[in-house]
Each structure stands twice: as structure tokens, then as C-alpha cells.
Amino acid sequence: MNVNVMTHPLIQHKVTLIRNVETGSKDFRELLEEITLLMGYEITRDLPLEDVEVQTPLVKAIGKQIAGKKLGIIPILRAGLGMVNGLLELMPMAKVGHVGLYRDPETLKPVEYYCKLPSDLAGRRIIVTDPMLATGGSASAAITLLKEKGARDIQLMCLVAAPQGVETVNKEHPDVRIYVAALDEDLNEHGYILPGLGDAGDRIFGTK
Ligand SMILES: O=P(O)(O)OC[C@H]1O[C@H](OP(=O)(O)OP(=O)(O)O)[C@H](O)[C@@H]1O
Ligand SMILES: O=c1cc[nH]c(=O)[nH]1
Ligand SMILES: [Mg+2]
């Protein structure tokens, strides 16, 4: 299984808080944003840098800036929206696209209902966000769609994953790097991650 599990103590601590059934929507959203920001710091480690001249109040100096690659953040609606602001705080220059998918509760297959993407996907580092990677059907379908529109350099960032979801994405998209805050044990008979945190979209937006 090819997946990067973020073991930073602050991430692990916040994942425990966000799993708690007593955590309400306001705290859930705040924790998700904080975890995303911490994960974003880790997953952008390999962004290329270039030298740039900077005029300080005293002298000219050589500093570093992110080179070449433009960035794209693509949340899978709805729940992926909860991970956008944390990434935008780190990378305000990123463009944000949206892929709307919901998982049919009977078949567990993804159903597409919306798509709005930056036009130049091919030249961007794309970070797909979705808190939950369960069967992997939604993430895999979203990545297929992005590749059809030209995306080549894709990272998938999730809060909690089931082994089945990681394996699906590994198999269908071996080039995509997967980052999770927790790799859980299994899925239940309704396709929910165990121990998981329930329905992420409902917990973010307060629906049932
Ligand atoms: O890996 P999978 O088995 O495809 O399941 C994961 C998907 O299910 C959830 O979305 P949901 O269908 O609940 O939509 P929502 O975000 O609008 O709540 C979740 O946010 C993922 O997109
Ligand atoms: O556990 C799960 C599985 C799919 N979608 C969720 O929001 N949670
Ligand atoms: Mg949901």
C-alpha cells in the first residue's frame, strides 16, 4: 500500500478531537482547517525553489521563492471544501477548482453533479482534497476527470482513509501520491470508515 501517513503529534492529537462524536460543527470545521494547514506544510516540502533578489531596508540580498509550478486546489464537494481554507492560507496564489460528487448510498458509486476547473491544469501541481477516502470510488473518479482535463501532477490529501480506498487509488492511479492523517482499519456494511468519524460533510455543514 502506497500512502503517506502524517504522524506529527499535533496532527494526531487533533484527529482524536475531530473523531469525537461530541465535537460540534464549529469545532469540527476549525480542527479540519488546522489539520489541513499542518498537512499542507508537509506535502509542499518538495516544491521547487529559485533564487530571487530582495531589497531589505539595508541591502540587496538573494532570497528564495517558489519556482515554476503553479498550484491548484480541487476540493471534492461537499466535504472537501472543509480543507480549502487551510491550504489557501499557506498558498494564497493557488487557483481553486471544484468537482461535485456524491456517493450513492445504495451502490456506493460516485455520481458527478458539478465541475468547474482552472483552464491550465496541465501546468499546475494539483492538490485534491476530501476528508474521507472510503471505498476510493469518489477520489478515483475525481482524479480520472482531472486527468481527462489535462492534470499530470496530482496529490490526494485526505483526513481519514480506509485501506480499501488507498488500494483502489493506488491501483487506478499509481502516479498519484496519497497523504492522510490517519489510516483506519476497515469499512462497515454501509461503506463508512471504521473507526472513522462518521459523515464528514454532515459534520462540517450540520446536515443529516
Ligand atoms: O471513497 P468513497 O467510498 O467514494 O467515499 C468517500 C466519499 O463520501 C463522502 O462524500 P458524500 O457522498 O457523503 O458527499 P458529501 O461530501 O456531499 O457529504 C466523502 O466526502 C467522499 O467524497
Ligand atoms: O466514513 C465515511 C465514508 C464516506 N463518507 C464519509 O463522510 N464518511
Ligand atoms: Mg457526506
Side-chain angles (χ1 to χ4, degrees):
M1 215 173 352
N2 195 0
V3 58
N4 299 286
V5 184
M6 305 268 151
T7 53
H8 191 290
L10 287 173
I11 296 178
Q12 294 306 309
H13 181 89
K14 289 173 191 292
V15 168
T16 305
L17 295 175
I18 209 168
R19 283 188 196 277
N20 190 334
V21 66
E22 303 294 341
T23 298
S25 289
K26 177 176 183 288
D27 290 337
F28 192 97
R29 286 193 295 269
E30 287 174 5
L31 285 162
L32 183 56
E33 187 170 329
E34 290 163 12
I35 295 168
T36 307
L37 198 142
L38 292 165
M39 290 179 76
Y41 177 79
E42 289 287 333
I43 75 169
T44 48
R45 257 181 202 289
D46 66 335
L47 282 177
L49 289 173
E50 63 188 7
D51 289 347
V52 60
E53 193 175 82
V54 56
Q55 175 73 56
T56 78
L58 303 174
V59 290
K60 280 198 168 85
I62 299 296
K64 303 280 185 196
Q65 68 180 12
I66 307 285
K69 275 265 155 137
K70 293 182 280 185
L71 299 163
I73 303 166
I74 315 282
I76 301 178
L77 308 183
R78 292 172 301 164
L81 286 173
M83 301 175 80
V84 172
N85 283 348
L87 290 178
L88 278 179
E89 281 203 32
L90 293 175
M91 300 171 280
M93 65 296 209
K95 292 212 171 161
V96 182
H98 296 85
V99 174
L101 291 176
Y102 70 88
R103 191 176 72 158
D104 183 290
E106 300 301 324
T107 64
L108 301 185
K109 299 287 176 223
V111 181
E112 186 189 331
Y113 61 89
Y114 188 74
C115 182
K116 181 83 178 171
L117 299 169
S119 55
D120 52 350
L121 284 184
R124 291 184 183 271
R125 156 83 56 99
I126 301 296
I127 306 173
V128 177
T129 65
D130 194 330
M132 309 310 280
L133 183 63
T135 66
S138 302
S140 202
I143 293 166
T144 300
L145 194 151
L146 294 173
K147 287 182 174 174
E148 282 166 6
K149 309 261 181 201
R152 293 286 166 269
D153 179 4
I154 303 175
Q155 294 172 303
L156 173 63
M157 189 173 162
C158 303
L159 184 63
V160 180
Q164 293 90 328
V166 172
E167 273 169 11
T168 298
V169 176
N170 282 168
K171 184 158 155 274
E172 296 187 16
H173 301 288
D175 54 305
V176 170
R177 290 157 290 165
I178 308 175
Y179 302 84
V180 302
L183 181 60
D184 278 8
E185 287 156 26
D186 208 347
L187 297 173
N188 73 8
E189 66 277 22
H190 304 294
Y192 277 85
I193 300 175
L194 295 173
L197 49 74
D199 189 299
D202 286 351
R203 294 196 64 183
I204 292 168
F205 296 110
T207 49
K208 276 258 184 293

